[in-house]
Amino acid sequence: THAERELAIMSKVHPPEHPDVAGAIANIAGFDAALGNHAGALVGFTKAFAIVKGKDDLHAAVYEGNIADELLDLGRAEESLTTMRNV
């Protein structure tokens, strides 16, 4: 997919901890979520969040919100609520 090509390119030109790599990972996670693969989306958004946490507050908040959404879709409402309280 386009998002997977984007990740491959970003991974070649940036170190793994670069925010652009996080963005590419989050794009793939977004596709996973849209396809109903909420477990896969949760993994992707969690990886993206880990990369930007403490470096980019805006994207960290967005990814953390995405994590909460995926937890909710997976029936993990309490964890979702706890995550949203952190955003």
Side-chain angles (χ1 to χ4, degrees):
T1 68
H2 176 72
E4 290 166 336
R5 286 192 303 260
E6 176 191 11
L7 177 57
I9 291 167
M10 290 301 152
S11 295
K12 286 181 183 177
V13 298
H14 296 298
E17 68 278 0
H18 194 278
D20 288 347
V21 174
I25 292 169
N27 286 341
I28 293 171
F31 284 116
D32 282 339
L35 293 171
N37 179 8
H38 300 293
L42 178 60
V43 169
F45 287 130
T46 301
K47 285 180 183 178
F49 174 72
I51 292 170
V52 299
K53 184 178 178 183
K55 301 176 198 167
D56 181 341
D57 291 342
L58 175 61
H59 284 100
V62 169
Y63 300 152
E64 200 163 18
N66 294 136
I67 290 167
D69 287 343
E70 297 312 315
L71 287 167
L72 191 59
D73 287 334
L74 290 166
R76 295 163 59 181
E78 287 299 319
E79 289 176 83
S80 177
L81 183 57
T82 300
T83 301
M84 284 306 296
R85 287 183 179 141
N86 293 330
V87 176

Coordinates of all heavy atoms in Angstrom, one line a residue:
T1 N 0.8 -1.2 0.0 CA 0.0 0.0 0.0 C 0.9 1.3 0.0 O 2.1 1.2 0.3 CB -0.9 0.0 1.2 OG1 -0.1 0.2 2.4 CG2 -1.8 -1.2 1.4
H2 N 0.2 2.4 -0.3 CA 0.9 3.6 -0.2 C 1.6 3.9 1.1 O 2.7 4.4 1.2 CB 0.0 4.8 -0.6 CG 0.6 6.1 -0.5 ND1 1.5 6.6 -1.4 CD2 0.4 7.1 0.3 CE1 1.9 7.8 -1.1 NE2 1.2 8.2 0.0
A3 N 0.8 3.6 2.2 CA 1.3 3.9 3.5 C 2.5 3.0 3.8 O 3.5 3.4 4.5 CB 0.2 3.6 4.6
E4 N 2.5 1.8 3.4 CA 3.7 0.9 3.6 C 4.9 1.4 2.8 O 6.0 1.3 3.3 CB 3.3 -0.6 3.2 CG 2.4 -1.2 4.2 CD 1.7 -2.5 3.7 OE1 1.7 -2.7 2.4 OE2 1.3 -3.3 4.5
R5 N 4.7 1.9 1.6 CA 5.8 2.5 0.8 C 6.3 3.7 1.6 O 7.5 4.0 1.6 CB 5.4 2.8 -0.6 CG 5.2 1.6 -1.5 CD 5.1 2.0 -2.9 NE 3.9 2.9 -3.2 CZ 2.7 2.5 -3.6 NH1 2.5 1.2 -3.9 NH2 1.8 3.4 -3.8
E6 N 5.4 4.5 2.1 CA 5.8 5.7 2.9 C 6.7 5.3 4.0 O 7.8 5.9 4.3 CB 4.6 6.5 3.4 CG 5.0 7.7 4.2 CD 3.8 8.3 5.0 OE1 2.7 7.7 5.0 OE2 3.9 9.3 5.5
L7 N 6.3 4.3 4.8 CA 7.1 3.8 5.9 C 8.5 3.4 5.5 O 9.5 3.7 6.1 CB 6.4 2.7 6.7 CG 7.1 2.1 7.9 CD1 7.5 3.2 8.9 CD2 6.3 1.0 8.5
A8 N 8.5 2.6 4.4 CA 9.8 2.1 3.8 C 10.7 3.3 3.5 O 11.9 3.3 3.8 CB 9.6 1.3 2.6
I9 N 10.2 4.3 2.9 CA 11.0 5.5 2.5 C 11.4 6.3 3.7 O 12.6 6.6 3.9 CB 10.2 6.4 1.5 CG1 10.0 5.7 0.2 CG2 10.9 7.8 1.4 CD1 9.0 6.4 -0.7
M10 N 10.5 6.5 4.7 CA 10.8 7.3 5.9 C 11.9 6.5 6.7 O 12.8 7.1 7.3 CB 9.6 7.5 6.7 CG 8.6 8.5 6.1 SD 9.4 10.1 5.9 CE 8.4 10.7 4.5
S11 N 11.8 5.2 6.7 CA 12.8 4.4 7.4 C 14.2 4.4 6.8 O 15.2 4.2 7.5 CB 12.3 2.9 7.6 OG 11.1 2.9 8.3
K12 N 14.2 4.7 5.5 CA 15.5 4.8 4.9 C 16.2 6.1 5.1 O 17.4 6.2 5.1 CB 15.4 4.5 3.4 CG 15.1 3.1 3.0 CD 15.0 2.9 1.5 CE 14.7 1.5 1.2 NZ 14.5 1.3 -0.3
V13 N 15.4 7.2 5.2 CA 16.0 8.5 5.2 C 16.0 9.1 6.7 O 16.6 10.1 6.9 CB 15.2 9.5 4.3 CG1 15.4 9.1 2.8 CG2 13.8 9.7 4.7
H14 N 15.3 8.5 7.6 CA 15.3 8.9 9.0 C 15.6 7.8 10.0 O 15.3 6.7 9.7 CB 13.9 9.5 9.4 CG 13.5 10.7 8.6 ND1 14.1 11.9 8.6 CD2 12.4 10.8 7.7 CE1 13.5 12.7 7.8 NE2 12.5 12.1 7.3
P15 N 16.2 8.2 11.1 CA 16.4 7.2 12.1 C 15.0 6.7 12.7 O 14.0 7.4 12.5 CB 17.2 7.9 13.2 CG 16.9 9.3 13.0 CD 16.6 9.5 11.5
P16 N 14.9 5.5 13.3 CA 13.7 4.9 13.8 C 12.9 5.8 14.7 O 11.7 5.7 14.8 CB 14.0 3.6 14.4 CG 15.5 3.4 14.1 CD 16.1 4.6 13.6
E17 N 13.6 6.7 15.5 CA 12.9 7.5 16.4 C 12.4 8.9 15.9 O 12.0 9.8 16.6 CB 13.8 7.8 17.7 CG 15.0 8.6 17.4 CD 16.2 7.9 16.8 OE1 16.2 6.7 16.5 OE2 17.2 8.5 16.5
H18 N 12.5 9.1 14.6 CA 12.1 10.3 13.9 C 10.6 10.4 13.9 O 9.9 9.5 13.6 CB 12.7 10.4 12.5 CG 12.7 11.8 12.0 ND1 11.5 12.3 11.3 CD2 13.6 12.7 11.9 CE1 11.8 13.5 10.9 NE2 13.0 13.8 11.3
P19 N 10.0 11.6 14.1 CA 8.6 11.8 14.0 C 7.9 11.4 12.7 O 6.8 11.0 12.7 CB 8.4 13.3 14.3 CG 9.6 13.7 15.1 CD 10.7 12.8 14.6
D20 N 8.7 11.6 11.6 CA 8.1 11.2 10.3 C 7.9 9.7 10.2 O 7.0 9.2 9.5 CB 9.0 11.7 9.2 CG 8.9 13.2 9.0 OD1 8.0 13.8 9.5 OD2 9.8 13.8 8.2
V21 N 8.8 8.9 10.9 CA 8.6 7.5 10.9 C 7.3 7.2 11.7 O 6.5 6.3 11.3 CB 9.8 6.8 11.5 CG1 9.6 5.3 11.7 CG2 11.1 7.0 10.6
A22 N 7.2 7.9 12.8 CA 6.0 7.7 13.6 C 4.7 8.0 12.8 O 3.7 7.3 12.9 CB 6.0 8.6 14.9
G23 N 4.8 9.1 12.0 CA 3.6 9.4 11.2 C 3.3 8.3 10.2 O 2.1 8.0 10.0
A24 N 4.3 7.7 9.6 CA 4.1 6.7 8.6 C 3.5 5.4 9.3 O 2.6 4.8 8.8 CB 5.4 6.3 7.9
I25 N 4.0 5.1 10.5 CA 3.4 4.0 11.3 C 1.9 4.3 11.6 O 1.1 3.4 11.5 CB 4.2 3.7 12.5 CG1 5.6 3.2 12.2 CG2 3.5 2.8 13.5 CD1 6.6 3.2 13.3
A26 N 1.7 5.5 12.0 CA 0.3 5.9 12.4 C -0.6 5.8 11.1 O -1.8 5.4 11.3 CB 0.3 7.3 13.0
N27 N -0.1 6.1 10.0 CA -0.9 6.0 8.7 C -1.3 4.6 8.5 O -2.5 4.3 8.2 CB -0.2 6.6 7.5 CG -0.1 8.1 7.5 OD1 -0.9 8.8 8.2 ND2 0.8 8.6 6.8
I28 N -0.4 3.7 8.7 CA -0.7 2.2 8.5 C -1.7 1.8 9.6 O -2.7 1.1 9.3 CB 0.5 1.4 8.6 CG1 1.4 1.7 7.4 CG2 0.2 -0.1 8.7 CD1 2.8 1.0 7.4
A29 N -1.6 2.3 10.8 CA -2.5 2.0 11.9 C -3.9 2.5 11.5 O -4.9 1.8 11.8 CB -2.0 2.5 13.2
G30 N -4.0 3.7 10.9 CA -5.3 4.2 10.5 C -6.0 3.3 9.5 O -7.2 3.1 9.6
F31 N -5.2 2.8 8.6 CA -5.8 1.8 7.6 C -6.2 0.6 8.3 O -7.3 0.0 8.0 CB -4.8 1.5 6.5 CG -4.6 2.6 5.5 CD1 -3.4 3.2 5.3 CD2 -5.6 2.9 4.6 CE1 -3.2 4.2 4.4 CE2 -5.5 3.9 3.7 CZ -4.2 4.6 3.6
D32 N -5.4 0.1 9.2 CA -5.8 -1.1 10.0 C -7.2 -0.8 10.7 O -8.1 -1.7 10.7 CB -4.8 -1.5 11.0 CG -3.6 -2.2 10.4 OD1 -3.8 -2.8 9.3 OD2 -2.5 -2.3 11.1
A33 N -7.3 0.3 11.3 CA -8.5 0.7 12.1 C -9.7 0.7 11.1 O -10.8 0.2 11.4 CB -8.4 2.0 12.8
A34 N -9.5 1.3 9.9 CA -10.6 1.4 9.0 C -11.0 0.1 8.4 O -12.2 -0.1 8.1 CB -10.2 2.3 7.8
L35 N -10.1 -0.9 8.4 CA -10.4 -2.2 8.0 C -10.9 -3.1 9.1 O -11.2 -4.3 8.9 CB -9.2 -2.9 7.3 CG -8.7 -2.2 6.0 CD1 -7.4 -2.8 5.6 CD2 -9.7 -2.4 4.9
G36 N -11.0 -2.6 10.3 CA -11.6 -3.4 11.4 C -10.5 -4.2 12.1 O -10.8 -4.9 13.0
N37 N -9.3 -4.0 11.8 CA -8.2 -4.7 12.5 C -7.7 -3.8 13.7 O -6.7 -3.1 13.6 CB -7.0 -4.9 11.5 CG -5.8 -5.6 12.2 OD1 -5.9 -6.0 13.4 ND2 -4.7 -5.7 11.5
H38 N -8.5 -3.8 14.7 CA -8.3 -2.9 15.8 C -7.1 -3.3 16.7 O -6.4 -2.4 17.2 CB -9.6 -2.8 16.7 CG -10.7 -2.2 15.9 ND1 -10.7 -0.9 15.4 CD2 -11.8 -2.8 15.5 CE1 -11.9 -0.7 14.8 NE2 -12.5 -1.9 14.8
A39 N -6.8 -4.6 16.7 CA -5.6 -5.0 17.4 C -4.4 -4.5 16.7 O -3.4 -4.0 17.4 CB -5.6 -6.5 17.6
G40 N -4.3 -4.6 15.4 CA -3.2 -4.1 14.6 C -3.1 -2.6 14.7 O -2.0 -2.1 14.8
A41 N -4.2 -1.9 14.7 CA -4.2 -0.5 14.8 C -3.6 -0.1 16.2 O -2.9 0.9 16.3 CB -5.6 0.1 14.6
L42 N -4.1 -0.8 17.2 CA -3.6 -0.5 18.5 C -2.0 -0.6 18.6 O -1.4 0.3 19.2 CB -4.2 -1.4 19.6 CG -3.8 -1.2 21.0 CD1 -4.1 0.2 21.5 CD2 -4.5 -2.3 21.9
V43 N -1.5 -1.7 18.0 CA -0.1 -1.8 18.0 C 0.6 -0.7 17.3 O 1.6 -0.1 17.8 CB 0.3 -3.2 17.4 CG1 1.8 -3.3 17.1 CG2 -0.1 -4.3 18.2
G44 N 0.1 -0.3 16.1 CA 0.7 0.8 15.4 C 0.6 2.1 16.1 O 1.6 2.8 16.1
F45 N -0.5 2.5 16.6 CA -0.7 3.7 17.3 C 0.2 3.8 18.5 O 0.8 4.8 18.9 CB -2.1 4.1 17.6 CG -2.9 4.4 16.4 CD1 -4.2 3.8 16.2 CD2 -2.5 5.4 15.5 CE1 -4.9 4.2 15.1 CE2 -3.3 5.8 14.4 CZ -4.5 5.2 14.2
T46 N 0.3 2.6 19.2 CA 1.2 2.6 20.4 C 2.7 2.8 20.0 O 3.4 3.5 20.7 CB 1.0 1.2 21.1 OG1 -0.4 1.1 21.5 CG2 1.9 1.1 22.3
K47 N 3.1 2.2 18.9 CA 4.5 2.4 18.4 C 4.7 3.9 18.1 O 5.7 4.5 18.4 CB 4.8 1.5 17.2 CG 5.0 0.1 17.5 CD 5.3 -0.7 16.2 CE 5.4 -2.2 16.5 NZ 5.6 -2.9 15.3
A48 N 3.8 4.5 17.3 CA 3.9 5.9 16.9 C 3.9 6.8 18.2 O 4.8 7.7 18.2 CB 2.7 6.3 16.0
F49 N 3.1 6.5 19.1 CA 3.1 7.3 20.4 C 4.4 7.2 21.1 O 4.9 8.2 21.6 CB 1.9 6.8 21.3 CG 1.9 7.5 22.6 CD1 1.6 8.8 22.8 CD2 2.3 6.8 23.8 CE1 1.6 9.4 24.0 CE2 2.3 7.3 25.0 CZ 1.9 8.7 25.1
A50 N 4.9 6.0 21.2 CA 6.2 5.8 21.9 C 7.3 6.6 21.2 O 8.2 7.1 21.9 CB 6.6 4.3 21.9
I51 N 7.3 6.8 19.9 CA 8.3 7.5 19.2 C 8.2 9.0 19.5 O 9.2 9.7 19.7 CB 8.2 7.3 17.7 CG1 8.6 5.9 17.4 CG2 9.1 8.3 16.9 CD1 8.3 5.4 15.9
V52 N 7.0 9.6 19.6 CA 6.9 11.0 19.7 C 6.7 11.5 21.1 O 6.8 12.7 21.4 CB 5.7 11.6 18.8 CG1 6.0 11.3 17.4 CG2 4.4 11.0 19.3
K53 N 6.4 10.6 22.1 CA 6.2 11.0 23.5 C 7.4 11.8 24.0 O 8.5 11.4 23.9 CB 5.9 9.8 24.3 CG 5.6 10.1 25.8 CD 5.3 8.8 26.5 CE 5.0 9.1 28.0 NZ 4.9 7.9 28.8
G54 N 7.1 13.0 24.6 CA 8.1 13.8 25.1 C 8.8 14.7 24.1 O 9.6 15.5 24.4
K55 N 8.5 14.5 22.8 CA 9.1 15.3 21.7 C 8.2 16.1 21.0 O 8.5 17.2 20.5 CB 9.8 14.3 20.7 CG 10.9 13.4 21.3 CD 11.4 12.5 20.2 CE 12.1 11.3 20.8 NZ 12.3 10.2 19.8
D56 N 7.0 15.6 20.8 CA 6.0 16.3 20.0 C 4.6 16.1 20.7 O 3.9 15.1 20.4 CB 6.0 15.7 18.6 CG 5.0 16.3 17.6 OD1 4.0 17.0 18.0 OD2 5.1 16.1 16.4
D57 N 4.2 17.1 21.5 CA 3.0 17.0 22.3 C 1.8 16.9 21.5 O 0.8 16.1 21.8 CB 2.9 18.2 23.2 CG 3.9 18.2 24.3 OD1 4.6 17.1 24.6 OD2 4.2 19.2 25.0
L58 N 1.7 17.6 20.3 CA 0.5 17.5 19.5 C 0.3 16.1 19.0 O -0.8 15.5 19.1 CB 0.6 18.5 18.4 CG -0.6 18.5 17.4 CD1 -1.9 18.8 18.1 CD2 -0.4 19.4 16.2
H59 N 1.3 15.6 18.3 CA 1.1 14.2 17.8 C 1.0 13.2 18.9 O 0.2 12.2 18.7 CB 2.3 13.9 16.8 CG 2.1 14.6 15.5 ND1 2.8 15.7 15.2 CD2 1.3 14.3 14.4 CE1 2.4 16.1 14.0 NE2 1.5 15.3 13.5
A60 N 1.6 13.4 20.0 CA 1.5 12.4 21.1 C 0.0 12.4 21.5 O -0.5 11.3 21.8 CB 2.4 12.8 22.2
A61 N -0.6 13.5 21.7 CA -2.0 13.6 22.1 C -2.9 12.9 21.1 O -3.8 12.2 21.4 CB -2.4 15.0 22.3
V62 N -2.6 13.2 19.8 CA -3.4 12.5 18.7 C -3.3 11.0 18.8 O -4.3 10.3 18.8 CB -3.0 13.1 17.3 CG1 -3.7 12.3 16.2 CG2 -3.4 14.5 17.2
Y63 N -2.1 10.5 18.8 CA -1.9 9.1 18.9 C -2.4 8.5 20.1 O -3.0 7.4 20.1 CB -0.4 8.7 18.7 CG 0.3 9.2 17.4 CD1 1.6 9.5 17.4 CD2 -0.5 9.4 16.3 CE1 2.2 10.0 16.2 CE2 0.1 9.9 15.1 CZ 1.4 10.2 15.1 OH 2.0 10.6 13.9
E64 N -2.3 9.2 21.3 CA -2.9 8.6 22.5 C -4.4 8.6 22.4 O -5.1 7.6 22.9 CB -2.5 9.5 23.7 CG -2.6 8.7 25.0 CD -1.8 9.4 26.1 OE1 -1.4 10.5 26.0 OE2 -1.5 8.7 27.1
G65 N -5.0 9.6 21.7 CA -6.5 9.5 21.5 C -6.8 8.3 20.6 O -7.8 7.7 20.8
N66 N -6.0 8.1 19.6 CA -6.2 6.9 18.7 C -6.1 5.6 19.5 O -6.9 4.7 19.3 CB -5.2 6.9 17.6 CG -5.4 8.1 16.6 OD1 -4.4 8.7 16.2 ND2 -6.6 8.4 16.2
I67 N -5.2 5.5 20.4 CA -5.0 4.4 21.2 C -6.3 4.1 22.0 O -6.8 3.0 22.1 CB -3.8 4.5 22.2 CG1 -2.5 4.4 21.3 CG2 -3.8 3.4 23.3 CD1 -1.2 4.9 22.1
A68 N -6.8 5.2 22.6 CA -8.0 5.1 23.4 C -9.2 4.6 22.5 O -10.0 3.8 23.0 CB -8.4 6.4 24.1
D69 N -9.3 5.1 21.3 CA -10.4 4.7 20.4 C -10.3 3.2 20.1 O -11.3 2.5 20.1 CB -10.3 5.5 19.1 CG -10.8 6.9 19.2 OD1 -11.5 7.2 20.2 OD2 -10.5 7.7 18.3
E70 N -9.0 2.7 19.8 CA -8.9 1.3 19.5 C -9.1 0.4 20.7 O -9.7 -0.6 20.6 CB -7.5 1.1 19.0 CG -7.2 1.8 17.7 CD -8.3 1.6 16.6 OE1 -8.8 0.5 16.4 OE2 -8.7 2.6 16.0
L71 N -8.7 0.9 21.9 CA -9.1 0.1 23.1 C -10.6 0.0 23.3 O -11.1 -1.1 23.6 CB -8.5 0.8 24.3 CG -6.9 0.7 24.5 CD1 -6.4 1.6 25.6 CD2 -6.5 -0.8 24.8
L72 N -11.3 1.1 23.0 CA -12.7 1.0 23.1 C -13.3 0.1 22.1 O -14.2 -0.7 22.4 CB -13.3 2.5 22.9 CG -14.8 2.7 23.2 CD1 -15.1 2.3 24.7 CD2 -15.2 4.1 23.0
D73 N -12.8 0.1 20.9 CA -13.3 -0.8 19.8 C -13.0 -2.3 20.2 O -13.7 -3.1 19.7 CB -12.7 -0.4 18.5 CG -13.3 0.8 17.9 OD1 -14.4 1.2 18.2 OD2 -12.6 1.5 17.1
L74 N -12.0 -2.5 21.0 CA -11.6 -3.8 21.4 C -12.4 -4.3 22.7 O -12.1 -5.3 23.2 CB -10.1 -3.9 21.6 CG -9.3 -3.9 20.3 CD1 -7.8 -3.7 20.7 CD2 -9.5 -5.2 19.5
G75 N -13.3 -3.4 23.1 CA -14.1 -3.7 24.3 C -13.3 -3.5 25.6 O -13.7 -4.1 26.7
R76 N -12.3 -2.7 25.6 CA -11.5 -2.5 26.8 C -11.8 -1.0 27.2 O -10.9 -0.2 27.3 CB -10.0 -2.7 26.4 CG -9.7 -4.1 26.1 CD -8.4 -4.4 25.3 NE -7.2 -3.9 26.0 CZ -6.0 -4.1 25.5 NH1 -5.9 -4.7 24.3 NH2 -5.0 -3.7 26.1
A77 N -13.0 -0.8 27.6 CA -13.5 0.5 28.0 C -12.7 1.2 29.1 O -12.4 2.4 29.1 CB -15.0 0.5 28.3
E78 N -12.4 0.4 30.2 CA -11.7 1.0 31.3 C -10.4 1.5 30.9 O -9.9 2.6 31.3 CB -11.7 0.0 32.5 CG -13.0 -0.2 33.2 CD -13.5 1.1 33.8 OE1 -12.8 1.8 34.4 OE2 -14.8 1.3 33.7
E79 N -9.6 0.7 30.2 CA -8.3 1.1 29.7 C -8.4 2.3 28.8 O -7.6 3.2 28.8 CB -7.6 0.0 28.9 CG -7.2 -1.1 29.8 CD -6.6 -2.3 28.9 OE1 -5.4 -2.2 28.6 OE2 -7.4 -3.2 28.6
S80 N -9.5 2.4 28.0 CA -9.7 3.5 27.1 C -9.9 4.8 27.9 O -9.3 5.8 27.6 CB -10.9 3.2 26.2 OG -11.2 4.4 25.4
L81 N -10.7 4.7 28.9 CA -11.0 5.8 29.7 C -9.8 6.3 30.5 O -9.5 7.5 30.5 CB -12.1 5.5 30.8 CG -12.6 6.6 31.7 CD1 -13.1 7.8 30.9 CD2 -13.6 6.1 32.6
T82 N -9.0 5.4 31.0 CA -7.7 5.7 31.6 C -6.8 6.4 30.7 O -6.2 7.5 31.0 CB -7.1 4.5 32.2 OG1 -7.9 3.9 33.2 CG2 -5.7 4.8 32.9
T83 N -6.7 5.9 29.5 CA -5.9 6.5 28.4 C -6.3 7.9 28.1 O -5.5 8.9 28.0 CB -5.8 5.7 27.2 OG1 -5.3 4.4 27.5 CG2 -5.0 6.3 26.1
M84 N -7.6 8.1 27.9 CA -8.2 9.5 27.6 C -7.9 10.5 28.7 O -7.7 11.6 28.5 CB -9.7 9.4 27.3 CG -10.0 8.8 25.9 SD -9.1 9.6 24.6 CE -9.8 11.3 24.6
R85 N -7.9 10.0 29.9 CA -7.6 10.9 31.1 C -6.2 11.4 31.0 O -5.8 12.5 31.6 CB -7.8 10.2 32.4 CG -9.3 10.0 32.7 CD -9.5 9.4 34.0 NE -11.0 9.3 34.3 CZ -11.5 8.2 34.9 NH1 -10.7 7.2 35.3 NH2 -12.8 8.2 35.1
N86 N -5.3 10.7 30.3 CA -3.9 11.1 30.2 C -3.6 12.1 29.1 O -2.6 12.8 29.0 CB -3.0 9.9 29.9 CG -2.9 9.0 31.1 OD1 -3.1 9.4 32.2 ND2 -2.8 7.7 30.8
V87 N -4.6 12.2 28.1 CA -4.4 13.1 27.0 C -4.5 14.5 27.3 O -5.2 15.0 28.1 CB -5.4 12.7 25.8 CG1 -5.3 13.7 24.7 CG2 -5.3 11.3 25.4

